[in-house]
Amino acid sequence: MAPVIPAIAFALILITGRRLPGIAPYLSIAAIVASFAVWIILFVTFLDDGAGTRSIEWFTVGGFEFTWGTTVDEVSLVMLGVVSFVAIGIQIYSLEYLHEEPRLWWYFALQSLFAAAMMTLVLADNLLLLYLGWELVGLGSYLLIGFWWERRSAAEAAKKAFITTRIGDVALLIGFVLLFRATGTFDIRDITQLAHAGSIDETQLKWALIFIFGGAAGKSAQIPLHVWLPDAMEGPTPVSALIHAATMVVAGVYLVVRLFPIYNMVPDALDLIAVIGLLTALLAGVMALAMTDLKRILAYSTISHLGFMMLAVGAGFPGVAMFHLLAHAFAKASLFLGAGSISHGTGETDIREMGGLWRKMPFTTVAFWIGALSLAGLPLLAGFFSKDEILLAVHTGRLNDGFLVVTFVAVAFSVLYTGRMLYRVFLGQLSSSNEDAHEPGIRMWAPVGVFALLAAGLGATAFEWSHAYMGFVSWVTDSEEGFHINTAITGVSVVIVVVGLFLTWLIYIQRSISATAIRLRLGFVAIAAERKFYFDEVYQWAINQVVLPTARLTAFIDRAWVNDIGVDGPGKTTRWGGGVLRYIQTGMVYNYALGMVIGAVVLGVIWWSV
Amino acid sequence: MFEGWLSIVVFLPAAAALVIALFLRNDSHIRWFAIGATVLNLVLIVITYVDYDRSLGGVQMVDRYADWIPVEGLRAEYLLGIDGLSAPLVLLTGLLTAVAAFASWRITLRVREYFIWLLVLSTSVLGVFLALDFLLFFIFWEIELIPMFMLISIWGSGRNRYSAMKFVIFTLGGSAFMLIGILALFLSSGVDTFAMVSIPSEGIKGIPDLIAGKDLLIPAGVIWFFLFTAFAVKMPLWPFHSWLPDAHTDAPTAVSIMLAGVLLKMGGYGLLRISVGMFQETKGFQVQDVAWLLATLAVISIIYGAIVTLRQKDLKRLVAFSSVSHMGFVVLGVSSIVGVGGTVTDAGLNGAALQMVTHGTITGLMFLTVGLVYDRAHTRYIPDLGGLALRWPLITVSMVIAGLASLGLPGLSGFVAEITVFLGTYEVWPWLTAIAAFGVVLAAGYVLWMMQRTFFGPRNERFQDIKDANFVDMIPVVALVISIVAIGVFPKIVTEVFKVGISELVRI
């Protein structure tokens, strides 16, 4: 039910949108609120009845039956709750943020489309339906990034996002087909059972899972497929908050968590996930430190946190990944919406042009700080607990301690970029161009506030409240492991937070350490980070120097060689031959008579000589 | 259904053409009459499609006149019939003919002749799909050339005469081989019939049953290649594709729709019905022996077509080359025949059949939209366009839907066909299928790049005063969009019928 309601809203808005643009936002919001209500019902039913699935036949071909079915369990419920709740806030926020937009109805149509697709993805009980949702959220993302398609950069970014994730999607599809080939079904539950029964060939299973992770890496912007996400910030800011921070980009993590019982059987695949995740967390953290655009900093921060979630899965703790997903979703939503409020109030997104904004926008400042510090891991905020669990997972899980050290480094970078961002934007001198900055209206600040509160308070769910609820992580994965704290690790992470925030305070507020000097000292590393480690350059080079020339060459061969020589060639030869022969047939009697005479003479000579 | 029903379906357009030729003088009357005739025929076809009894299967609604050519030694019958393989293709033809008639709304040059040829074309294609006598099939196959030649060379643009001639020469070259193949089959000992399938209810024993396990006049492999050449040209399969971009680029919109949407499917239909349907149990050579060749050519078509498409700057040429790529999926699906019977199911063949229908609707919509752009902008050169979305939102939306369907977005028809082909073929040709899957990335590349350059970007002042598509323009667009979404969401409406046809086709 939950995905159907926004789908209907999408159809309705498409029909009515151009004539009655005014009702579109309300249709969309009503649909998403209804979906949230469905979630509440599902949740309550779930508490009574436990997990359940239901499905109907879609089509049958060649003996394969394809179904549309849903599954309700802890993991899908958490995701569905996040998706519908964040979407409500975002849509209300958009009402004010985009109120001058002439194509507002189209925006809300896409919001409904996205919500429907995302919920389909979340609830799907089989891989094919999941793939359907997966591609449709990609479509929603494409259209929303390109919402201002008159801007060349927006159209470019939309295309880049779609094609980059598409590369992952093909890997994903190959992985799904491999699994299907091995088991004869797309049903996640059946595949899991068959895998555990050992009826899937090991090598095949391994490659299937690696391919599937390729798809997850594309959607969740893992290195080296992360390049689309920063560019995706060309879309309206609420879209960045919803799709490119809280919901769609975590679909990859969600998929890996859903399939974790299978992944758990293949250590190689988990190692790959852990390595890629950690690498992403680290490099994206470094890049975030080098960016100057507020939204891009947040984008790289998102990539980094997605890396942390993957790392947790790779360490063997999907529940921890889900917990971080939850904490990150609300924190990042409040951050992006806060950034939206800032650009709404100042018309500015470059942090070098900002400063002292707390004087003008105190409320946004508080909300933004809560979200940012939660993600940086300030004790007692939600991010502190989830980050702690990740560190603990890396420590106690299947990975060696080298991972733990690098994870601490990645965490340190996340503290550094958070400090830099907070101080540059909100503290210090009020920049002269921001004199008339102002707080937004209630439709904008209310969602920001709610998300910030959740980012602050959700940490409470981590604890073991009763025997029935032994902390979020054990609840979501149905395990017996309760919540606990490792003093050493927690100690180190708290020290990192405090030192990091102090260090950035010295650099950006006290200015007792010069940022420029550090940058110069770092030399090449700093430049490489500012140039985003040349990923874009390499890809652009590959497209310009390999793909397009190949295409040009093939097109040329197709015309010049296959067509002009191979096809037109025989035609022209025939015509030329005909043209030559034509001179013989002059149509004049005396020419023919001459020919006959010559022929007769020749024949006579031959006859006579023989 | 009563005797003669299918003949009505096939010849209704031709009869309408006759009426136009003899009685109608006013251009606007001719337009409405032609559109009315195609829509009426579509209704008849829908009735036929619904009336086809899937639980019964086999050939139904047989129209037979056994004494058609009562010459000793040439036992050609007039034999029409519909089965699970042809029914969806007939439906596609009916739909696209009506769409093409609507798309011809703006034709002003020699209107009467134009619609006559268009209607004759429709009859000949329907005849190809419904004829079950090999000679009759061949006659319909050849008749189709005449209207196409006229339509491209008179109402076309650019190098229209060259393209029309090229189209005719290619197809004639292919069908010369086909004729030899047909005669070789007919003259083989113990055959003596042109029936393409067995129809127990009529007491007809068809060629597939008669030639199974027997020696033929010339080796079966040679006959297969003769017939295959004709179909490969028509599909078109690499390296026989060179006529297609020229014919498409220079043809008028409606003709491109018919060409891409329906005429190419004649090749795919022949491949399934004849190359696969007749040569699974022949002695000394079976279609399974050359499945590797089919698969290889298919993958080359898919990747080569997609790569060449990336560089096209003319909208129509771009869509034309993408057709080469997409028709490759049909052949790829067919190539899975080699595994069928063992562990592999006939999903690949089903996917191939479904891909024909989906490609017909999707490419039809693309050409239709390109035509709408061309009518207004008078150019199809992509660098001259750009920023059209603001001026012409309706046209943009229809191109976006066609493009997304073309790149295989789930929920639209292209995806269902492609996934079915992949699933059926993967087990037989794992590596080739994996390579073909990357054709989907290239498809995303050329579709999105084309849309970005054509429709998005800053407002284009050049086309400031030209209006968006009007109501009449949108009728065929909406019809195609509905069919694309319907097949994407409820593939059963087509797959259930194809399933019957394919399972009867597979003999091993």
Side-chain angles (χ1 to χ4, degrees):
Chain A
M1 264 312 272
V4 177
I5 302 169
I8 293 171
F10 170 63
L12 279 179
I13 296 174
L14 273 195
I15 295 165
T16 61
R18 274 156 65 90
R19 293 200 187 77
L20 299 164
I23 65 166
Y26 301 102
L27 269 176
S28 176
I29 291 174
I32 195 73
V33 170
S35 291
F36 188 67
V38 171
W39 176 75
I40 294 174
I41 297 168
L42 280 176
F43 194 78
V44 173
T45 330
F46 170 78
L47 291 181
D48 290 344
D49 302 347
T53 58
R54 47 169 54 183
S55 65
I56 51 163
E57 186 199 333
W58 185 24
F59 69 109
T60 319
V61 66
F64 306 142
E65 191 183 323
F66 302 108
T67 54
W68 282 21
T70 59
T71 185
V72 174
D73 59 7
E74 291 90 345
V75 181
S76 63
L77 272 177
V78 169
M79 263 311 264
L80 189 65
V82 171
V83 170
S84 48
F85 188 74
V86 174
I88 293 176
I90 301 285
Q91 294 198 6
I92 292 171
Y93 184 92
S94 307
L95 272 180
E96 181 174 340
Y97 185 77
L98 291 168
H99 72 277
E100 285 170 348
E101 180 59 49
R103 274 182 304 213
L104 196 62
W105 67 274
W106 175 234
Y107 175 85
F108 276 98
L110 293 179
Q111 284 278 357
S112 291
L113 169 70
F114 173 79
M118 190 70 207
M119 291 176 188
T120 310
L121 190 165
V122 169
L123 289 173
D125 75 334
N126 70 75
L127 296 174
L128 197 65
L129 185 62
L130 188 143
Y131 187 78
L132 184 136
W134 186 275
E135 287 290 295
L136 286 180
V137 290
L139 169 68
S141 158
Y142 166 76
L143 293 171
L144 281 167
I145 297 171
F147 180 66
W148 287 311
W149 37 256
E150 296 93 332
R151 280 214 313 253
R152 193 181 154 75
S153 55
E156 290 274 357
K159 182 186 66 179
K160 183 173 174 181
F162 197 93
I163 293 176
T164 314
T165 47
R166 196 88 218 263
I167 293 170
D169 293 350
V170 169
L172 183 75
L173 193 59
I174 292 176
F176 285 175
V177 171
L178 272 169
L179 279 185
F180 182 81
R181 185 188 168 194
T183 61
T185 175
F186 276 119
D187 191 283
I188 296 174
R189 203 167 285 243
D190 292 350
I191 292 176
T192 314
Q193 276 169 5
L194 286 166
H196 281 281
S199 53
I200 304 179
D201 178 59
E202 261 180 44
T203 349
Q204 209 172 353
L205 187 64
K206 184 171 104 187
W207 281 107
L209 292 180
I210 289 175
F211 273 118
I212 290 175
F213 175 64
K219 206 59 128 191
S220 286
Q222 301 292 295
I223 281 171
L225 293 176
H226 67 284
V227 290
W228 64 271
L229 187 58
D231 287 12
M233 299 300 128
E234 287 289 341
T237 305
V239 169
S240 309
L242 176 67
I243 298 182
H244 305 115
T247 57
M248 186 191 81
V249 287
V250 297
V253 179
Y254 174 76
L255 175 65
V256 182
V257 171
R258 280 304 293 275
L259 298 179
F260 185 78
I262 312 178
Y263 270 102
N264 206 12
M265 299 169 58
V266 185
D268 289 356
L270 283 183
D271 287 346
L272 179 73
I273 295 176
V275 170
I276 296 281
L278 183 55
L279 202 64
T280 306
L282 181 66
L283 289 184
V286 177
M287 288 188 270
L289 196 53
M291 292 297 122
T292 54
D293 182 287
L294 183 57
K295 280 185 77 180
R296 276 181 187 263
I297 296 176
L298 293 177
Y300 279 107
S301 153
T302 305
I303 297 174
S304 174
H305 282 283
L306 292 167
F308 282 124
M309 294 174 209
M310 285 293 187
L311 176 65
V313 180
F317 289 85
V320 173
M322 284 308 286
F323 186 46
H324 194 57
L325 188 158
L326 190 68
H328 173 259
F330 293 114
K332 227 8 138 2
S334 73
L335 282 177
F336 266 112
L337 293 186
S341 300
I342 291 170
S343 72
H344 185 80
T346 65
E348 193 60 66
T349 58
D350 191 330
I351 59 166
R352 287 169 303 187
E353 306 293 324
M354 298 179 191
L357 276 179
W358 68 272
R359 291 189 189 88
K360 294 288 179 186
M361 308 175 75
F363 177 80
T364 306
T365 307
V366 172
F368 197 96
W369 278 60
I370 292 175
L373 291 175
S374 169
L375 283 183
L378 195 74
L380 301 184
L381 299 177
F384 166 74
F385 296 101
S386 65
K387 186 166 285 184
D388 217 52
E389 299 228 22
I390 290 175
L391 288 164
L392 201 60
V394 175
H395 179 59
T396 58
R398 41 187 300 289
L399 303 170
N400 65 41
D401 280 346
F403 278 89
L404 187 63
V405 175
V406 184
T407 311
F408 272 122
V409 177
V411 168
F413 273 105
S414 79
V415 177
L416 291 177
Y417 70 68
T418 307
R420 169 172 176 260
M421 173 174 72
L422 291 180
Y423 299 143
R424 295 277 318 233
V425 174
F426 296 101
L427 302 184
Q429 289 282 310
L430 183 66
S431 144
S432 57
S433 60
N434 293 339
E435 283 296 345
D436 44 356
H438 54 86
E439 284 282 9
I442 182 169
R443 282 173 300 181
M444 277 170 76
W445 67 253
V448 179
V450 171
F451 292 144
L453 282 180
L454 283 169
L458 266 178
T461 59
F463 299 110
E464 181 175 341
W465 289 107
S466 69
H467 277 295
Y469 183 83
M470 299 175 63
F472 181 86
V473 173
S474 69
W475 175 76
V476 88
T477 50
D478 258 341
S479 70
E480 295 299 310
E481 194 93 359
F483 175 78
H484 55 273
I485 283 183
N486 178 315
T487 352
I489 287 179
T490 310
V492 175
S493 91
V494 170
V495 169
I496 286 179
V497 172
V498 173
V499 171
L501 289 178
F502 180 65
L503 210 61
T504 41
W505 185 73
L506 287 182
I507 298 174
Y508 294 102
I509 301 300
Q510 284 296 98
R511 299 191 186 274
S512 50
I513 305 172
S514 160
T516 335
I518 299 176
R519 191 183 169 282
L520 284 176
R521 183 74 56 84
L522 285 172
F524 173 73
V525 180
I527 296 170
E530 277 161 21
R531 302 294 298 273
K532 302 173 268 183
F533 294 116
Y534 304 100
F535 278 103
D536 282 314
E537 277 82 355
V538 171
Y539 290 143
Q540 198 61 49
W541 180 87
I543 291 171
N544 288 345
Q545 305 300 324
V546 182
V547 178
L548 289 181
T550 312
R552 204 175 299 138
L553 183 70
T554 322
F556 174 73
I557 289 174
D558 189 74
R559 284 295 95 181
W561 202 32
V562 178
N563 188 57
D564 291 351
I565 296 174
V567 174
D568 286 359
K572 284 191 180 136
T573 314
T574 316
R575 204 159 147 188
W576 178 81
V580 171
L581 293 175
R582 199 177 60 188
Y583 292 112
I584 297 169
Q585 287 163 31
T586 55
M588 311 228 178
V589 178
Y590 50 85
N591 284 116
Y592 293 146
L594 180 67
M596 280 165 72
V597 169
I598 293 172
V601 169
V602 169
L603 280 175
V605 169
I606 292 169
W607 177 73
W608 182 72
S609 61
V610 175
Chain B
M1 221 33 87
F2 57 87
E3 183 103 346
W5 171 260
L6 286 183
S7 299
I8 294 176
V9 169
V10 171
F11 289 104
L12 183 92
L18 199 64
V19 172
I20 291 176
L22 294 179
F23 302 115
L24 294 180
R25 289 287 171 272
N26 182 307
D27 281 357
S28 134
H29 292 174
I30 292 171
R31 281 192 199 108
W32 279 118
F33 186 77
I35 290 174
T38 54
V39 171
L40 176 65
N41 207 30
L42 176 60
V43 172
L44 296 186
I45 287 171
V46 170
I47 293 172
T48 317
Y49 187 79
V50 174
D51 198 56
Y52 178 79
D53 190 346
R54 298 199 305 268
S55 55
L56 218 58
V59 177
Q60 297 178 11
M61 306 177 211
V62 178
D63 255 6
R64 188 180 183 196
Y65 179 56
D67 293 333
W68 179 40
I69 306 180
V71 180
E72 202 53 41
L74 182 73
R75 294 178 184 219
E77 297 185 10
Y78 174 81
L79 182 65
L80 299 181
I82 192 164
D83 71 353
L85 177 61
S86 55
L89 294 170
V90 171
L91 184 63
L92 176 73
T93 310
L95 176 67
L96 286 181
T97 308
V99 165
F102 270 107
S104 309
W105 183 248
R106 290 172 196 278
I107 293 279
T108 48
L109 174 75
R110 295 159 77 175
V111 177
R112 191 148 61 102
E113 290 160 84
Y114 177 88
F115 279 102
I116 289 172
W117 289 127
L118 193 65
L119 291 167
V120 171
L121 181 67
S122 170
T123 286
S124 65
V125 179
L126 288 170
V128 167
F129 291 138
L130 289 173
L132 288 176
D133 182 277
F134 225 149
L135 198 68
L136 189 64
F137 171 85
F138 183 74
I139 289 170
F140 279 123
W141 183 283
E142 294 291 283
I143 284 180
E144 158 265 318
L145 284 177
I146 303 165
M148 276 307 283
F149 178 79
M150 295 299 176
L151 286 167
I152 296 178
S153 63
I154 297 176
W155 289 273
S157 56
R159 291 203 296 169
N160 44 2
R161 271 153 224 275
Y162 166 83
S163 302
M165 189 51 89
K166 194 167 170 180
F167 167 76
V168 168
I169 290 176
F170 261 87
T171 317
L172 268 181
S175 35
F177 285 107
M178 177 156 74
L179 187 60
I180 302 173
I182 294 174
L183 291 178
L185 282 175
F186 176 72
L187 295 175
S188 297
S189 62
V191 177
D192 201 34
T193 174
F194 282 108
M196 292 161 73
V197 289
S198 295
I199 310 172
S201 61
E202 294 281 326
I204 296 175
K205 209 154 187 241
I207 293 176
D209 286 321
L210 293 171
I211 65 174
K214 299 234 180 70
D215 276 316
L216 300 179
L217 186 67
I218 48 178
V222 178
I223 302 181
W224 188 86
F225 270 102
F226 280 167
L227 293 166
F228 173 67
T229 310
F231 306 139
V233 168
K234 202 82 194 170
M235 291 276 289
L237 194 59
W238 185 90
F240 303 109
H241 65 279
S242 134
W243 62 271
L244 182 82
D246 286 319
H248 269 311
T249 313
D250 298 336
T253 303
V255 178
S256 291
I257 294 170
M258 289 299 280
L259 182 56
V262 187
L263 295 185
L264 305 188
K265 279 57 195 184
M266 290 161 53
Y269 173 73
L271 193 67
L272 277 169
R273 168 82 76 206
I274 295 161
S275 300
V276 172
M278 292 185 182
F279 289 88
Q280 290 167 45
E281 296 167 319
T282 36
K283 194 174 170 191
F285 169 92
Q286 290 94 28
V287 63
Q288 295 91 311
D289 300 342
V290 286
W292 62 271
L293 178 71
L294 290 178
T296 314
L297 289 180
V299 172
I300 294 177
S301 288
I302 292 169
I303 300 295
Y304 181 98
I307 288 178
V308 177
T309 310
L310 266 179
R311 280 310 300 174
Q312 298 308 317
K313 288 186 176 152
D314 181 302
L315 276 178
K316 264 190 152 179
R317 202 168 267 275
L318 189 145
V319 183
F321 270 111
S322 79
S323 288
V324 176
S325 182
H326 285 298
M327 289 305 281
F329 284 104
V330 175
V331 184
L332 185 66
V334 170
S335 75
S336 72
I337 181 72
V338 64
V340 176
T343 52
V344 187
T345 64
D346 56 6
L349 296 169
N350 277 293
L354 187 58
Q355 172 75 358
M356 288 203 274
V357 172
T358 60
H359 174 262
T361 50
I362 294 167
T363 313
L365 182 58
M366 282 198 142
F367 276 121
L368 188 60
T369 317
V370 171
L372 293 176
V373 170
Y374 184 65
D375 282 344
R376 285 163 181 74
H378 299 292
T379 177
R380 296 185 304 256
Y381 189 62
I382 294 174
D384 286 350
L385 300 164
L388 302 185
L390 262 181
R391 290 301 314 159
W392 308 331
L394 289 176
I395 295 178
T396 306
V397 167
S398 73
M399 188 52 126
V400 168
I401 292 173
L404 293 173
S406 170
L407 60 79
L409 189 84
L412 302 174
S413 58
F415 171 72
V416 186
E418 273 167 21
I419 185 85
T420 320
V421 168
F422 286 147
L423 286 178
T425 320
Y426 198 88
E427 201 141 352
V428 189
W429 310 106
W431 287 105
L432 287 175
T433 310
I435 297 172
F438 275 89
V440 179
V441 175
L442 292 172
Y446 62 69
V447 167
L448 297 183
W449 198 28
M450 177 271 286
M451 294 202 299
Q452 184 202 334
R453 288 180 296 169
T454 311
F455 293 102
F456 304 135
R459 178 192 291 264
N460 196 329
E461 298 303 331
R462 219 176 120 184
F463 310 115
Q464 195 58 26
D465 303 325
I466 308 171
K467 286 217 168 64
D468 198 4
N470 64 23
F471 183 70
V472 180
D473 291 328
M474 288 309 285
I475 294 172
V477 170
V478 170
L480 286 177
V481 168
I482 288 175
S483 67
I484 288 172
V485 175
I487 297 177
V489 181
F490 306 107
K492 271 178 145 178
I493 53 178
V494 178
T495 53
E496 289 293 306
V497 179
F498 268 137
K499 199 158 70 181
V500 176
I502 296 290
S503 67
E504 283 159 7
L505 203 68
V506 176
R507 306 165 63 85
I508 43 179

